[in-house]
Amino acid sequence: LTDTTKFRDVPLFWGSEYADFKGNGGGSSVMEGVLGCLNLVQVSSEGVMASNESNNVEVGGGNKPGGDYLHLSVVMAMGRKYINVDTTTKDGIERAKVLALGSSGMADVIYSSLLQDVSSLFTSLNQGRMFVLIRHPIEREMARFRYLRRGQFERTKLNDWQRGNLQDMSYVEYAKSEFARDNWMTRELVNKRCNDGKGEDGRACASLDDKDVHTAKEILRRKALIGLYSDIMGAVQHYGRYFGWDNARKGGRFEDATMFCFQNHILEGMRKDALGGKDLDPNDAMEHSDAYVALMEKNRHDFELFTYAQTLYKYQVELS
């Protein structure tokens, strides 16, 4: 990519569905830093909330919620700038597509966990450039468990029965339950989603094979700017160098004040990440524990992808 091309493309942060919610996990810490430290305009779910809009509306019909529903606009929330569309839901992405978000030039960074859906916002003339923060899949799923146990109902989209069950579960019980995901990252990359044991068509989840893993690896190699949760500050600098944020363009570094700001967001995210586990036995989350083994069995393809991503990250950083 030429510098002109990569600075024109819209940065697309692809992460787990809970990464967008304020202060939860490494992904959210990066997005909070992008907003709070770099003052960029983000597209996620917060813009719709800030403009008092609802996504439970079919595009082109139904009751129109409050706010400037028929046009893209920048809204403020807690001193931060968002666009009034929601790229964390399918309906929201469809609305963003109708309003030509991808070619609007209004977004500095877009967040979504729905990679296949959000990709439809872009064209060969108006492209997105995916960047990711990849975490060890077992750590990722355990962090998700802690979030689901403590997250707000409207955020987690759990019903009372599900929330009650999760509150009473141990790490082991969660790992062996239907709540624990099966190779989320690989499935999203190859478009074989699986939720609660069912695919998007309501049937049993499609199986994954070596060909799917190879395809997922190729997508990461060819399409993604890789960051690792285990080197989250290094990942932030890697993103900054690539996208030209702050003074980090062309091999430079963030300003000291910007790095300090990111560090604060990341530490706060890690603090909140631990809150959901305060009544859990930490030994159950250790390597070789029953919970760890059960989650690894469900996420062995994601582990292979994670191992490959570690190599990609090292290679990309050396080139940047």
Side-chain angles (χ1 to χ4, degrees), residues 138-149:
I138 311 307
E139 293 179 5
R140 182 196 71 209
E141 291 307 305
M142 288 183 175
R144 178 174 179 267
F145 173 45
R146 293 190 293 270
Y147 168 72
L148 290 175
R149 295 178 82 241

Side-chain angles (χ1 to χ4, degrees), residues 192-246:
K192 287 188 176 181
R193 289 175 182 154
C194 180
N195 294 300
D196 299 329
K198 295 182 179 179
E200 291 195 295
D201 58 2
R203 300 177 181 177
C205 294
S207 61
L208 295 173
D209 55 28
D210 291 342
K211 182 178 178 180
D212 292 318
V213 177
H214 175 75
T215 299
K217 287 179 179 179
E218 281 297 289
I219 292 172
L220 288 184
R221 183 180 69 84
R222 297 172 57 193
K223 302 292 187 180
L225 185 67
I226 306 293
L228 296 179
Y229 182 86
S230 58
D231 183 31
I232 192 168
M233 291 307 300
V236 166
Q237 294 184 67
H238 181 43
Y239 303 148
R241 286 192 296 268
Y242 184 87
F243 292 118
W245 290 335
D246 197 39

Side-chain angles (χ1 to χ4, degrees), residues 122-177:
F122 306 105
T123 67
S124 58
L125 296 178
N126 303 106
Q127 297 188 25
R129 184 59 52 188
M130 177 171 65
F131 66 111
V132 296
L133 185 71
I134 298 179
R135 191 172 185 175
H136 190 295
I138 311 307
E139 293 179 5
R140 182 196 71 209
E141 291 307 305
M142 288 183 175
R144 178 174 179 267
F145 173 45
R146 293 190 293 270
Y147 168 72
L148 290 175
R149 295 178 82 241
R150 70 175 181 81
Q152 298 173 346
F153 282 89
E154 64 271 20
R155 299 287 199 179
T156 60
K157 300 179 175 65
L158 298 175
N159 59 39
D160 290 347
W161 178 83
Q162 291 172 320
R163 178 64 176 266
N165 271 4
L166 281 166
Q167 290 287 352
D168 296 333
M169 283 183 178
S170 65
Y171 279 118
V172 179
E173 291 168 330
Y174 170 75
K176 296 179 179 180
S177 75

Side-chain angles (χ1 to χ4, degrees), residues 71-85:
H71 304 89
L72 294 174
S73 62
V74 177
V75 296
M76 299 293 295
M78 302 295 290
R80 295 170 182 181
K81 294 179 287 188
Y82 303 91
I83 293 179
N84 63 334
V85 290

Side-chain angles (χ1 to χ4, degrees), residues 251-285:
R253 295 176 56 85
F254 280 122
E255 297 282 354
D256 289 343
T258 304
M259 288 301 295
F260 182 73
C261 180
F262 266 105
Q263 287 172 354
N264 285 339
H265 282 294
I266 288 166
L267 289 173
E268 177 63 10
M270 290 178 174
R271 184 190 70 81
K272 290 185 176 181
D273 179 29
L275 290 178
K278 61 184 178 181
D279 58 342
L280 295 170
D281 184 350
N283 291 320
D284 286 345

Side-chain angles (χ1 to χ4, degrees), residues 299-310:
N299 290 277
R300 58 188 181 88
H301 296 306
D302 271 11
F303 180 71
E304 184 176 345
L305 204 57
F306 166 72
T307 302
Y308 181 67
Q310 290 178 303

